[in-house]
Amino acid sequence: MAKTLSRLQNPREWLALVFVWGAAALVTATFCWLLGDIIRHGLSHISWTFLTAPPENAGRRGGIGPILVSTSLILGVCLAVSLPIGIGTAVLLAEFTSDQSLFGWMTRRSLDILAGVPSIVFGLFGNAFFCKTLGLGFSILSGGLTLACMVLPILIRSTEEGFRAVPASYRLSAAALGLSRTTTLVHLLLPAAVPGLLVGLVLGVGRAIAETAALIFTSGYVDRMPESLLDSGRALSIHIFDLSMNVSGGDANAYASALVLVIMLLAINGTASWLATYGLHRKVVTV
Amino acid sequence: MTSLSSNTLSRWSTDELLCWVLRGTAAIAGTIVLLIVAFLIVEALPVLHHIGLLRFFTDPSWHPVEGLYNLTPMLWGTLFAMTGSVLIATPLGILSAVFCHYYAPPALARPYRRLIELLAGIPSVVYGFWGLVVLVPLIAEIQPPGPSLLAGILILTIMILPTITLMADASLANVPQQYVRGAAALGLPRWATIRGVVFPAAKSGLFTGVILETGRAIGETMAILMVCGNVVQIPTSIFDPIRTLTANIALEMAYALGDHRAALFVSGLVLMAMIVALALAAEWISRGRVYG
C-alpha cells in the first residue's frame, strides 16, 4: 500500500490509524493483564503435591489430584464415543455423498446448528437424556457422553477438511488399480487425512476441557477420587467455578487450578495451530 | 466423489457394508440436534400444558416455587448483555483484523493473530473467575455493588472478541488483491481503501462473524453467572446486577422440581429458538443476499 502518500493527507486517515492501533493495543493489554494476573497468583501454588494431593476443606487447601483424574476420565469417555462417530460422519460427508444429496445436506445443516447450541442447553439435554432417561445418574459417563455430543461438530468439520485436502488423483489411481473403496479409504485416504483428523481431535479436546456449564448437571460436583465411570466426578473447570463462587477463601487454589487449566489449553491450542500450519500441507504420504 | 449407490463398477460387498456403517454414524450425528429439541420439548410440556406460554411473559414475577414464572427480566438481561458486548466487540474485532492485514508490520501481525487464537482458547470459567476477582472489585469502587450488567458486558466482550476477529480476519484475507491494488493505483489513501473497497467486498463474512459472536454472547453461561450478580430484575442502570436466561438455568437446575424444572426447560427452548434463528440468518447471508 502507498504508505508515504497516505499518511498526512487528511485527518480521517490519522484518526483511523489511531483507532486501529488503539484497538490492537487495548486487546493486547487486556490479554496480558488477564494472563499475567493468573500466572502471578497461580504459579506460587503449583507444585507436585498440588497436582497429586486430594482437596481438603472443600478445596481451600490440598490439591487437585482426584479432579485431574475425573477430568481425564470424562475426556476419555467423550473421545471414545465421539471419535468413531465423528470420523465415520466426516468420511461419509467427504467421500461417499455428493454435495447435492439431501442426506448430506441435512446432516451438514443439523451439525451447523449443533455447533451453535449453548453449552447450558447441552447440560439440560444431558441431564434429561443421559442422567434421567437412560438412568446413568450424575456420573462421569453422563458427563462424557454430553461432551461427546458437544465436540462432534468441531471434530467432523476438521476431519472432513482433512479428507478434502487429499488430492483426487489418489482416489482415481486407486480406482484405476481396481482397489475397493474400503481398501482405498483405509490404506490411502485415512493416512493422508491424519493431520486434519488430529487438528479436529485437538480442538475437540480443548473445547471439552474448557467446558463447565454442560457438566454441572451431568457429571456433578463430587471431589472424591472416582471409583468407576458411574461415579460422579468433578471436572477441573467446575472445581474453579466452585472454589470462586461457593467457597470463601478458595481464591488461591482457584488461581492455581485456573493456571493449570490455562497451561493445558495453551499447550493444546499450540499443538492444533502447529498441526494446521505444518501438517495439513504435507501432501506426500508413504503407504 | 459420487455416492456409492451410483457406482455400478463396485463389486465389493465390504464397500456396501462400509457405506451403511458410515450412514449409521452420520445418522447418529445428525439426529443429536433433533434429540435435544425433542427432550427440551418433552421436559417443558407439563408446564406449558398447565399454564400456557403467555404466562411466562405476563406473570408478576419469577417465583417458581409459588408458581409465578415471569421470564421477561431474564430475557432483558440476556438482551442487554448481548447487545452491549456485541456493540463493543464488533468494532474492536474488525479493527483488530484490519490491523493484522493493513496496518501492522508483518513481524507484529503474526504474533497478534496468535494472541487472538490464544484468547479464543481460554475457558469461560477462567474469564469468569478473573472477572470476579479483578473486574468486579474495580467496578465496586466506581459504583457499588460491583457485580453488574457492566461487568457482564465487559467479560462477554473479551470472550466474543476472538470470534469476530478471526472471522473478520478470514474474510479480509479473501478480498481479491487486485481490488486493493486498483484502489492504490487510483491514489486512495489507506483508510479510504479499507472503508470504500475492502469492507464492501468482505461484507458477507463480516456479517457472519457478527452473527456467530451474537450466538456466543447469548449462550455464554459460566462467566456471566460469576460476574453479573444474578438478581432477577430489569436493570435501570449499567451498574445494576442482572440475571440472564443461561445463568438462571445454571443456578436453579440443581434444586428445581416439577413445574419449576419444566420452566427451566422452557427457557432452554427459548435459547434454542434464538440460536436456530441466528443459524438461519447466517445461512441467508452466506447465500449472498446481503450483497446488493
Side-chain angles (χ1 to χ4, degrees), chain A residues 13 110 127 129 178 181-182 244, chain B residues 12 15 30 39 191-192 226 261:
Chain A
E13 292 293 317
S110 110
N127 184 274
F129 184 47
R181 296 189 71 169
T182 316
S244 55
Chain B
W12 287 272
D15 283 8
F39 266 91
W191 179 248
M226 291 162 89
R261 185 180 147 93

Side-chain angles (χ1 to χ4, degrees), chain A residues 7 13 16-17 31 37-38 88 95-96 110 127 129 132-133 171 178 180-182 210 212 217 244 255 265 269, chain B residues 1 3 12 15 25 30 33 39 103 119 121 123 126 129 133-134 190-192 195 222 226 250 253 261 283:
Chain A
R7 280 281 160 80
E13 292 293 317
L17 190 76
F31 178 75
D37 209 53
I38 287 168
E95 303 290 332
F96 286 86
S110 110
N127 184 274
F129 184 47
K132 268 185 62 191
T133 309
R171 298 167 190 108
S180 76
R181 296 189 71 169
T182 316
T212 320
F217 310 118
S244 55
Y255 262 121
L265 277 157
N269 279 28
Chain B
M1 297 298 282
S3 75
W12 287 272
D15 283 8
T25 58
V33 163
F39 266 91
Y103 281 84
L119 269 181
V126 172
F129 173 61
V133 293
V134 176
R190 184 152 39 175
W191 179 248
R195 208 177 52 115
M222 297 326 280
M226 291 162 89
M253 191 58 193
R261 185 180 147 93
E283 172 82 13

Side-chain angles (χ1 to χ4, degrees), chain B residues 29-292:
Chain B
T31 43
I32 291 175
V33 163
L34 298 180
L35 265 182
I36 291 179
V37 174
F39 266 91
L40 287 179
I41 292 177
V42 166
E43 295 275 339
L45 262 187
V47 76
L48 288 177
H49 226 74
H50 288 166
I51 68 168
L53 195 60
L54 201 63
R55 271 193 49 201
F56 283 98
F57 303 99
T58 56
D59 268 359
S61 63
W62 172 264
H63 283 111
V65 184
E66 292 147 36
L68 298 171
Y69 302 104
N70 189 358
L71 281 178
T72 14
M74 269 83 86
L75 267 173
W76 280 115
T78 297
L79 272 178
F80 282 135
M82 176 198 91
T83 318
S85 57
V86 168
L87 282 182
I88 306 175
T90 307
L92 264 184
I94 293 180
L95 284 181
S96 289
V98 166
F99 174 76
C100 275
H101 274 275
Y102 301 105
Y103 281 84
L108 223 59
R110 258 182 74 89
Y112 189 72
R113 206 168 277 144
R114 190 52 50 83
L115 183 140
I116 298 285
E117 284 170 15
L118 292 184
L119 269 181
I122 292 179
S124 61
V125 69
V126 172
Y127 282 116
F129 173 61
W130 181 75
L132 188 69
V133 293
V134 176
L135 273 188
V136 167
L138 278 181
I139 293 172
E141 274 177 28
I142 305 168
Q143 171 99 44
S148 56
L149 176 60
L150 179 63
I153 289 178
L154 291 178
I155 282 295
L156 264 187
T157 304
I158 307 178
M159 294 193 60
I160 64 179
L161 186 77
T163 316
I164 175 78
T165 309
L166 294 175
M167 273 306 288
D169 189 57
S171 59
L172 290 188
N174 279 336
V175 174
Q177 268 296 311
Q178 64 258 39
Y179 286 20
V180 181
R181 293 211 191 100
L186 288 173
L188 282 184
R190 184 152 39 175
W191 179 248
T193 310
I194 293 166
R195 208 177 52 115
V197 177
V198 173
F199 281 168
K203 200 155 65 174
S204 141
L206 296 181
F207 272 106
T208 315
V210 171
I211 287 183
L212 281 182
E213 64 166 351
T214 312
R216 279 206 68 187
I218 292 177
E220 181 44 48
T221 313
M222 297 326 280
I224 220 136
L225 167 70
M226 291 162 89
V227 299
C228 277
N230 302 317
V231 179
V232 185
Q233 61 176 7
I234 298 174
T236 51
S237 96
I238 203 161
F239 294 103
D240 280 352
I242 56 151
R243 182 188 285 200
T244 62
L245 277 177
T246 48
N248 186 46
I249 299 174
L251 282 168
E252 302 194 352
M253 191 58 193
Y255 59 88
L257 293 167
D259 272 2
H260 182 189
R261 185 180 147 93
L264 294 180
F265 277 86
V266 171
S267 36
L269 267 180
V270 173
L271 283 171
M272 200 65 193
M274 291 179 174
I275 295 301
V276 172
L278 283 175
L280 290 178
E283 172 82 13
W284 191 62
I285 288 172
S286 73
R287 288 201 183 153
R289 304 268 163 81
V290 167
Y291 288 113

Side-chain angles (χ1 to χ4, degrees), chain A residues 2-3 20-21 30 35 40-41 53-54 82 105 109 120 123 142 149 151 202 219 231 248-249 263 265:
Chain A
K3 278 182 190 165
V20 169
W21 278 89
T30 314
L35 209 60
R40 199 159 47 90
H41 288 95
S82 61
W105 185 85
R109 282 294 86 74
I120 189 77
S142 307
C149 301
V151 300
V202 169
S219 69
D231 273 1
S248 59
I263 290 175
L265 277 157

